[in-house]
């Protein structure tokens, strides 16, 4: 049998505890490290742009409530390994199978996609941007040719880290595309 990735379902917010527990079982020899070869909690960095224009970054799980296991599951004796994993506190079971069935791995394409998003394999960690702005909010431009102008947010493109803002120039509404870092919330309006 070849190595494949399997997904176990967990209680939400137990993911890190379960990852530590499985790694401890591997370290102490209770789980065979030639069968369970890797444990992953795929996460990606999320940039948060606050109203004052400052950004922070935090790591966010790609699949909350799930843990990935790379296993070389043998034809005989798979039940013992799977039962040990199922009996870890907080584990609900293997995704897509009943407790008495042999777990089914996810496809190589699915595993590659998840691991690329988390940056665990080449192809890149895709970071997301989360912003506190909403369409219709009034913002003040603090950088660029329109610095000191205020305008209303018309559109938000978090993946590009851009906003489209309607600004009054010579008495006419003009749409301007700006970086998230070029604006702050205008609390005066």
């Amino acid at each position: 049998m070849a190595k494949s990735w399997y997904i176990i379902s967990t209680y939400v917010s137990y993911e890190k505890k379960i990852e530590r527990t499985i790694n401890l079982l591997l370290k102490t020899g209770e789980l065979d490290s030639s069968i369970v070869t890797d444990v992953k909690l795929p996460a990606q960095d999320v940039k948060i742009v606050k109203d004052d224009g400052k950004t922070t970054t935090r790591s966010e799980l790609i699949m909350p409530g799930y843990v990935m296991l790379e296993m070389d599951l043998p034809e005989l004796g798979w039940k013992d390994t799977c039962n040990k994993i199922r009996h870890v506190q907080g584990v609900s079971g293997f995704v897509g199978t009943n407790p008495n069935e042999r777990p089914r791995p996810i496809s190589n394409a699915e595993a590659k996609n998840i691991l690329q998003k988390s940056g665990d394999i080449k192809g890149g960690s895709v970071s997301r941007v989360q912003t506190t702005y909403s369409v219709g909010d009034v913002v003040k431009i603090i950088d660029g040719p329109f610095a000191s102008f205020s305008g209303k947010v018309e559109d938000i493109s978090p993946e590009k880290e851009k906003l489209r803002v309607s600004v009054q120039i010579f008495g006419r509404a003009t749409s301007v595309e700006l970086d998230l870092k070029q604006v702050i919330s205008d609390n005066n309006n």
Side-chain angles (χ1 to χ4, degrees):
M1 190 81 195
K3 289 182 187 179
S4 297
W5 285 99
Y6 296 80
I7 307 284
I8 54 173
S9 178
T10 68
Y11 299 154
V12 176
S13 75
Y14 272 64
E15 302 91 352
K16 289 182 181 173
K17 180 181 178 188
I18 290 167
E19 179 189 35
R20 283 192 307 270
T21 303
I22 291 173
N23 280 323
L24 182 64
L25 292 173
L26 288 167
K27 189 176 181 180
T28 61
E30 292 180 56
L31 274 176
D32 188 345
S33 60
S34 66
I35 295 175
V36 180
T37 57
D38 202 358
V39 182
K40 294 253 187 246
L41 272 178
Q44 65 183 359
D45 290 337
V46 178
K47 287 184 187 176
I48 301 167
V49 180
K50 298 182 180 177
D51 287 344
D52 60 2
K54 294 183 180 171
T55 61
T56 59
T57 303
R58 73 166 187 237
S59 183
E60 191 173 274
L61 293 178
I62 293 172
M63 304 182 315
Y66 299 96
V67 175
M68 290 180 71
L69 299 175
E70 185 180 41
M71 297 193 296
D72 189 0
L73 211 53
E75 291 299 321
L76 300 172
W78 62 267
K79 263 191 178 182
D80 182 46
T81 300
C82 292
N83 284 336
K84 285 179 185 174
I85 293 167
R86 282 188 189 102
H87 286 97
V88 170
Q89 183 181 3
V91 173
S92 304
F94 285 86
V95 171
T97 57
N98 293 323
N100 57 350
E101 293 178 350
R102 180 185 169 89
R104 288 187 289 271
I106 61 174
S107 71
N108 288 336
E110 289 172 314
K112 182 180 178 185
N113 184 27
I114 294 166
L115 294 171
Q116 276 181 338
K117 281 183 184 177
S118 68
D120 287 321
I121 60 174
K122 290 201 187 249
S125 169
V126 179
S127 69
R128 282 192 359 221
V129 175
Q130 195 173 36
T131 177
T132 55
Y133 301 118
S134 301
V135 172
D137 285 353
V138 177
V139 295
K140 182 173 180 127
I141 302 169
I142 58 170
D143 187 34
F146 301 102
S148 79
F149 281 81
S150 290
K152 278 193 178 178
V153 176
E154 293 179 331
D155 187 40
I156 303 167
S157 298
E159 64 282 348
K160 295 180 182 176
E161 298 184 34
K162 301 268 186 195
L163 292 172
R164 195 170 62 238
V165 177
S166 176
V167 180
Q168 291 290 326
I169 301 174
F170 303 119
R172 293 185 146 186
T174 303
S175 198
V176 178
E177 186 174 87
L178 303 164
D179 288 336
L180 289 172
K181 293 178 182 179
Q182 290 181 282
V183 299
I184 60 171
S185 186
D186 191 358
N187 296 326
N188 296 334
N189 290 332

